[in-house]
Amino acid sequence: NAGVTQTPKFRVLKTGQSMTLLCAQDMNHEYMYWYRQDPGMGLRLIHYSVGEGTTAKGEVPDGYNVSRLKKQNFLLGLESAAPSQTSVYFCASSYWPENQPQHFGDGTRLSIL
Amino acid sequence: KQEVTQIPAALSVPEGENLVLNCSFTDSAIYNLQWFRQDPGKGLTSLLLIQSSQREQTSGRLNASLDKSSGRSTLYIAASQPGDSATYLCAVNFGNEKLTFGTGTRLTIIP
């Protein structure tokens, strides 16, 4: 049981390049989330999904897109990377958020030069 | 605006002491409150989840309390150990399917 797996763990991009971060969970969770963590800012929600085929905007969605074509996978895309998107990205999943905790992956460290 | 605050940002405590970490939030209408632990370079690990109807939850040496009327939660760690050194984050579900996180307290246990 791997839990929440994020791919890749590290990546360096040049400004303007695009990339996709993959999150996979094997717990059959309905809800999935993408966060970014920056020093002094805490975790901020980028996008989330309440089930297969659904997505919704979080607190800081600009510059990112997401897709949830399969229940177990949640993809985060950067179409044209900017230095302001340098951050650590975390994926999380859960059953019903009203009474179940979120389970986190180990993160992706992304640097935009 | 719904906000979660954790003060202090950092705390150092000698090994063996009991300690309390604080979390405050702006809206008393919550679904639940969660405490997480984050080790350097790692993701978050859920420690305790307190439902809106509960006053406290316990797991081993950890005890979390919730006072909705005052907008406060505490995480009590008994008999601290060097392995407890980590950043502890508080997060609140204000009833909109999402968590709002505090910025965390970085705890150092001094051997």
Side-chain angles (χ1 to χ4, degrees), chain A residues 7-26:
Chain A
T7 308
K9 297 187 184 304
F10 304 94
R11 187 73 183 269
V12 179
L13 291 178
K14 295 181 179 179
T15 298
Q17 288 184 320
S18 63
M19 80 163 294
T20 301
L21 280 65
L22 172 63
C23 177
Q25 54 95 2
D26 61 3

Side-chain angles (χ1 to χ4, degrees), chain A residues 4-84:
Chain A
V4 179
T5 303
Q6 293 184 231
T7 308
K9 297 187 184 304
F10 304 94
R11 187 73 183 269
V12 179
L13 291 178
K14 295 181 179 179
T15 298
Q17 288 184 320
S18 63
M19 80 163 294
T20 301
L21 280 65
L22 172 63
C23 177
Q25 54 95 2
D26 61 3
M27 296 172 283
N28 202 35
H29 286 166
E30 290 292 336
Y31 292 78
M32 296 188 74
Y33 308 84
W34 276 108
Y35 296 91
R36 60 178 290 173
Q37 186 176 39
D38 302 291
M41 302 288 290
L43 272 83
R44 292 181 292 170
L45 183 65
I46 305 171
H47 286 282
Y48 66 103
S49 168
V50 302
E52 181 178 319
T54 75
T55 63
K57 294 181 179 180
E59 182 183 357
V60 289
D62 294 342
Y64 305 94
N65 57 75
V66 287
S67 65
R68 184 121 180 251
L69 299 180
K70 294 183 178 181
K71 185 177 184 179
Q72 64 267 34
N73 295 336
F74 195 29
L75 278 64
L76 177 70
L78 286 72
E79 292 184 345
S80 179
S84 61

Side-chain angles (χ1 to χ4, degrees), chain B residues 13-20 76-80:
Chain B
V13 174
E15 180 180 0
E17 287 197 0
N18 305 324
L19 62 100
V20 173
Y76 174 85
I77 302 177
S80 59

